[in-house]
Amino acid sequence: MDKPAEATTVAHTEAAGGHEAEPNAFGLTPPWFIAAAMIVVIAILVWKKVPSAIGKALDKKIAAIRDQLDEAAALRKEAEALKREYEAKAASADAEAAAMVERAKSEAKAIVAKAEHDAKALVERRKAMAESKIAAEERAAIDELRATAAKAATAAAAKLIAERNDAKTDQALVDQAIGQLTR
């Protein structure tokens, strides 16, 4: 009698290549759990509207800086108009009288030089003021961010200390502190 060929199934504990099989739970491997955790963290950040809050804060800072830059540009235009006005006065002084040409030229040159100097000084002062305001805003934003980070770190540290200390550990710390005080 011929025996039918039986298919035999053999379970292997090793994966191809001679390595042990990667551990899994419910058929899911560790990389899947890491990906799921990242998705949960991102979902919580989006749910708490963290990106929009950061965006709004940055938009406010950008708007303030733009306003300051617009103000500086307006002041520069004003200074240029003042310069043109003084140059126009100098040009009209030339045409007043032939007898006063030399005197008018020297006065016009002095007025133009003063106007240019004043305009440059005004623009530089306004530019310096705008830059210092921008720098102050940046410092304030950084200080605010640092304070927020410090508060979060303090809260996390307090939570960790509360979770890791029990009554026995607290009693040992109190006894040790009392011992150091009595020395």
Side-chain angles (χ1 to χ4, degrees):
M1 279 200 234
D2 290 331
K3 285 187 178 180
E6 291 183 19
T8 58
T9 305
V10 178
H12 294 284
T13 59
E14 291 185 2
H19 297 289
E20 288 189 23
E22 188 172 38
N24 61 47
F26 306 111
L28 302 173
T29 60
W32 187 90
F33 283 107
I34 292 170
M38 290 296 292
I39 291 171
V40 168
V41 168
I42 291 170
I44 289 172
L45 288 177
V46 170
W47 178 59
K48 289 292 186 175
K49 299 179 182 174
V50 171
S52 65
I54 291 171
K56 287 178 184 177
L58 290 175
D59 287 343
K60 286 179 184 178
K61 298 288 183 193
I62 289 170
I65 291 170
R66 281 189 183 138
D67 290 343
Q68 291 170 354
L69 290 175
D70 291 343
E71 181 182 338
L75 291 172
R76 182 178 181 160
K77 286 181 184 177
E78 199 175 295
E80 288 173 352
L82 183 63
K83 178 183 172 184
R84 285 191 299 272
E85 179 184 328
Y86 279 113
E87 288 173 345
K89 285 181 182 180
S92 69
D94 252 355
E96 279 184 6
M100 305 167 81
V101 170
E102 283 301 317
R103 188 172 142 237
K105 284 183 180 180
S106 65
E107 285 179 8
K109 287 179 183 178
I111 289 172
V112 169
K114 184 180 185 302
E116 287 176 351
H117 180 266
D118 290 348
K120 287 179 183 177
L122 179 64
V123 168
E124 288 299 319
R125 278 196 312 268
R126 295 300 180 153
K127 182 179 175 183
M129 287 173 52
E131 288 173 351
S132 67
K133 284 181 183 179
I134 292 168
E137 289 293 328
E138 287 175 350
R139 284 192 302 273
I142 289 170
D143 290 344
E144 182 179 327
L145 186 60
R146 285 181 180 156
T148 303
K151 286 179 185 177
T154 303
K159 183 178 177 184
L160 284 173
I161 290 170
E163 289 175 355
R164 292 185 179 172
N165 286 345
D166 57 359
K168 189 175 184 181
T169 306
D170 290 344
Q171 184 62 40
L173 288 172
V174 169
D175 291 343
Q176 181 185 5
I178 292 171
Q180 288 178 348
L181 289 174
T182 58
R183 288 184 190 169

